[in-house]
Amino acid sequence: MDVDLFAGVAVSDLPRAIDWFERLLGDVESFDPNDTERVWTLAEHGHVYAVLAPGHAGHSLVTLFVGDLDAFLGAAAGRGVHPVARETYDNGVRKATCRDPDGNEIGIGGGPVEVEVGERVGGGD
């Protein structure tokens, strides 16, 4: 079965949302299917889209899982988007939470940090 996944985010101001998502996601393929939506293609069959739906804005939850969380967050920070929270689960998986201007939660997850044999973890001398 061939499937494409489109994760929707309801927004109150489409141009403002487009600006924010482009700063979060960087240079990825995007298109406008109509006057009330913008779609970003993040993987071959994976898309996120903003849809003008003011009555539902601020209630969306989307999580992306990326290969290099630190690089993704560093690039987003360079474009002015910063997480509002970070957490690490017991299995080492990490998550950063960002919020768009409407308050929608966009989680960015990444695998555990790989530690080289003999490398010290944590601070201190």
Side-chain angles (χ1 to χ4, degrees):
M1 169 174 60
D2 289 334
V3 175
D4 274 36
L5 175 65
F6 288 81
V9 179
V11 301
S12 64
D13 181 320
L14 189 58
R16 180 179 69 176
I18 289 170
D19 173 67
W20 188 86
F21 275 93
E22 289 183 348
R23 289 186 293 119
L24 174 69
L25 300 172
D27 187 24
V28 298
E29 180 183 338
S30 65
F31 62 94
D32 300 311
N34 56 53
D35 292 343
T36 62
E37 296 176 315
R38 168 67 64 92
V39 178
W40 294 272
T41 300
L42 305 181
E44 184 176 354
H45 298 285
H47 316 271
V48 170
Y49 70 98
V51 58
L52 184 60
H56 297 286
H59 300 285
S60 300
L61 300 168
V62 173
T63 299
L64 311 173
F65 201 89
V66 298
D68 187 337
L69 180 61
D70 296 323
F72 183 95
L73 293 176
R79 295 184 295 268
V81 176
H82 304 276
V84 296
R86 293 177 188 246
E87 57 188 310
T88 301
Y89 300 109
D90 290 341
N91 64 359
V93 170
R94 300 170 298 144
K95 179 183 177 186
T97 301
C98 297
R99 294 204 181 273
D100 76 359
D102 283 308
N104 292 302
E105 180 180 304
I106 311 300
I108 313 297
V113 175
E114 297 294 326
V115 178
E116 295 293 323
V117 175
E119 183 178 340
R120 287 181 51 188
V121 178
D125 292 312

